[in-house]
């Protein structure tokens, strides 16, 4: 069973996969693009967010807003949008921002909030257009440059994203998310030393950010700095209840040969103990410790046989590889 070694960040906090060796998948959770998302960036340009939201909310609007809304100012619509945003109601917040822009199409404050919500909804093509508008209004708008870079990142346009993140930092070097996203780009490119530098810079501005710290720990792991990874992850599990961080710690422990500690961390990071044994067996399998892998897979199957056809497949692979190894050794 594949495990998640997560990179975390927070605006789309979405997923990217890093495959560093057979059977191992590292998953990066990215930056604040979406405050409450854990899904892959989606490229869904054919979707018209404005119309869809308005269709969903039209009936409710007629009932709950009998007042003549056209008499409201752009600022009043923005305030309503902010109120719904604070409640986590992104759709209604977006509606009121759009209505505010109907009154003042070039209201920079509202346009920024529109762009931010589009990023949170993973509507990167639409977000790109919004930030293009803001940059046309003010080419020195570092927040807009960062926003467009996030949209490019979500669309997989990493070269363009990198350029915009640098442009934003030239104007305001304290925009920590630009540093964080650059770290993600460099990790994706396996430029781990550069990624580490960027994550450390981001942490200098946001030292309590678990997401950035986890990204740094994962980058240490990918760069072979397992001791650094363990030390940082041991700190993170004390302040975060994210089970994937325990899985990251387990993987780092395993690379150092601390198998008991790895197993304990897998247990803390798994939904049940059977998963932890399967994960441990999987790791043993990748380093050709077939006997240890067989024992772990058998334990997983024994604990939860119906749930683990994958463990049975892994067990069969481990037995087959052990048989081959014994045969080769006999020659």
């Amino acid at each position: 069973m594949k495990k998640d070694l997560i990179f975390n960040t927070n605006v789309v906090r979405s997923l990217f996969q890093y495959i560093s060796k057979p059977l191992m998948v590292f998953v990066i959770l990215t930056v604040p693009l979406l405050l409450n998302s854990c899904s892959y960036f989606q490229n869904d340009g054919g979707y018209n967010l404005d119309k869809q939201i308005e269709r969903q909310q039209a009936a409710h609007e007629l009932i709950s807003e009998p007042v003549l809304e056209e008499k409201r100012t752009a600022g009043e619509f923005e305030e309503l949008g902010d109120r719904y945003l604070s409640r986590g109601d992104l759709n209604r917040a977006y509606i009121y921002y759009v209505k505010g822009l109907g009154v003042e199409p070039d209201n920079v404050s509202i346009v920024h909030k529109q762009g931010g919500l589009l990023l949170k909804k993973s509507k990167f093509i639409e977000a790109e257009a919004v930030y293009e508008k803001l940059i046309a209004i003010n080419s020195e708008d570092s927040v807009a440059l960062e926003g467009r870079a996030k949209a490019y990142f979500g669309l997989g346009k990493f070269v363009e994203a990198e350029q915009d993140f640098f442009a934003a930092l030239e104007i305001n070097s304290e925009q920590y998310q630009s540093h964080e996203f650059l770290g993600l780009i460099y990790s994706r490119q396996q430029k781990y030393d550069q990624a580490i530098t960027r994550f450390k810079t981001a942490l200098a501005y946001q030292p309590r950010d678990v997401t950035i710290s986890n990204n740094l720990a994962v980058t240490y792991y990918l760069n072979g700095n397992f001791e650094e990874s363990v030390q940082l992850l041991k700190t993170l599990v004390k302040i975060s209840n994210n089970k994937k961080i325990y899985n990251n710690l387990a993987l780092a422990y395993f690379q150092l040969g601390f198998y008991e500690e790895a197993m304990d961390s897998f247990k803390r990071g798994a939904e049940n103990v059977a998963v932890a044994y399967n994960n441990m067996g999987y790791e043993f399998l990748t380093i050709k410790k077939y006997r240890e892998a067989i024992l772990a897979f058998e334990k997983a199957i024994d604990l939860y046989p119906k749930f683990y056809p994958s463990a049975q497949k892994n067990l069969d692979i481990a037995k087959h590889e052990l048989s081959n190894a014994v045969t080769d050794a006999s020659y």
Side-chain angles (χ1 to χ4, degrees):
M1 181 177 183
K2 297 179 181 179
K3 295 154 298 300
D4 289 341
L5 215 178
I6 60 170
F7 267 106
N8 235 320
T9 90
N10 169 53
V11 316
V12 170
R13 296 195 166 180
S14 68
L15 305 174
F16 280 78
Q17 292 186 331
Y18 289 70
I19 302 175
S20 72
K21 62 181 181 179
L23 305 178
M24 173 79 74
V25 174
F26 303 100
V27 180
I28 279 189
L29 268 159
T30 85
V31 198
L33 281 167
L34 300 191
L35 298 178
N36 56 0
S37 172
C38 288
S39 60
Y40 288 93
F41 276 127
Q42 297 174 358
N43 181 356
D44 187 10
Y47 183 88
N48 188 316
L49 183 66
D50 295 15
K51 292 186 181 298
Q52 179 65 14
I53 291 175
E54 289 177 1
R55 281 198 297 269
Q56 292 175 344
Q57 299 294 335
H60 188 68
E61 286 290 310
L62 290 173
I63 295 171
S64 63
E65 301 294 341
V67 182
L68 294 177
E69 290 186 355
E70 62 270 15
K71 292 185 177 180
R72 287 179 174 155
T73 66
E76 289 170 334
F77 279 125
E78 182 178 9
E79 185 179 348
L80 283 167
D82 292 347
R83 190 181 307 167
Y84 283 109
L85 182 61
S86 69
R87 299 174 186 172
D89 190 341
L90 303 187
N91 286 350
R92 287 186 68 82
Y94 190 88
I95 284 174
Y96 284 111
Y97 292 147
V98 169
K99 289 181 177 181
L101 291 173
V103 179
E104 290 183 22
D106 293 328
N107 185 304
V108 171
S109 175
I110 301 178
V111 176
H112 266 292
K113 291 172 181 177
Q114 180 190 31
L117 280 181
L118 286 168
L119 289 176
K120 292 179 184 188
K121 300 291 287 184
S122 299
K123 303 304 171 188
F124 301 113
I125 291 176
E126 293 87 342
E128 179 187 351
V130 168
Y131 288 115
E132 291 279 4
K133 177 180 179 179
L134 286 166
I135 293 167
I137 294 172
N138 178 10
S139 62
E140 297 295 303
D141 187 337
S142 62
V143 176
L145 285 165
E146 184 180 79
R148 186 173 68 176
K150 292 172 183 177
Y152 284 147
F153 185 93
L155 293 169
K157 297 180 179 179
F158 300 112
V159 173
E160 294 89 339
E162 182 181 10
Q163 292 172 348
D164 269 1
F165 285 130
F166 274 122
L169 289 171
E170 285 181 8
I171 299 166
N172 182 2
S173 63
E174 296 184 3
Q175 290 185 201
Y176 75 92
Q177 289 182 8
S178 288
H179 290 292
E180 185 178 8
F181 269 103
L182 285 169
L184 291 168
I185 290 170
Y186 293 142
S187 288
R188 183 181 182 278
Q189 296 170 345
Q190 299 183 10
K191 298 176 181 177
Y192 299 127
D193 289 337
Q194 293 182 52
I196 288 168
T197 298
R198 288 294 170 179
F199 288 134
K200 284 184 173 180
T201 303
L203 278 173
Y205 294 109
Q206 295 290 322
R208 296 180 179 275
D209 193 304
V210 173
T211 288
I212 303 171
S213 295
N214 183 65
N215 288 346
L216 176 59
V218 171
T219 306
Y220 279 138
Y221 180 101
L222 295 172
N223 202 33
N225 299 335
F226 305 122
E227 294 88 352
E228 294 277 5
S229 183
V230 164
Q231 291 306 312
L232 189 49
L233 290 167
K234 282 171 65 177
T235 301
L236 290 181
V237 295
K238 296 177 181 178
I239 59 176
S240 173
N241 59 2
N242 190 325
K243 289 183 177 296
K244 290 185 178 181
I245 296 177
Y246 271 111
N247 285 324
N248 292 350
L249 178 58
L251 292 171
Y253 271 139
F254 190 92
Q255 291 298 323
L256 293 172
F258 299 154
Y259 299 140
E260 289 186 10
E261 291 86 347
M263 186 64 205
D264 179 66
S265 294
F266 273 138
K267 287 178 179 179
R268 294 174 183 269
E271 58 268 28
N272 60 60
V273 178
V275 172
Y277 276 104
N278 187 64
N279 289 346
M280 197 69 180
Y282 191 84
E283 292 306 307
F284 280 128
L285 186 59
T286 64
I287 62 171
K288 300 182 179 181
K289 286 183 174 288
Y290 301 124
R291 289 185 173 85
E292 292 87 342
I294 289 169
L295 290 174
F297 291 136
E298 287 179 340
K299 184 67 174 178
I301 294 167
D302 188 46
L303 287 169
Y304 207 166
K306 293 183 179 179
F307 185 69
Y308 261 118
S310 59
Q312 183 61 57
K313 291 179 182 178
N314 289 338
L315 176 60
D316 293 342
I317 292 170
K319 288 181 175 179
H320 177 74
E321 293 298 328
L322 177 61
S323 176
N324 287 343
V326 170
T327 300
D328 292 342
S330 66
Y331 285 105

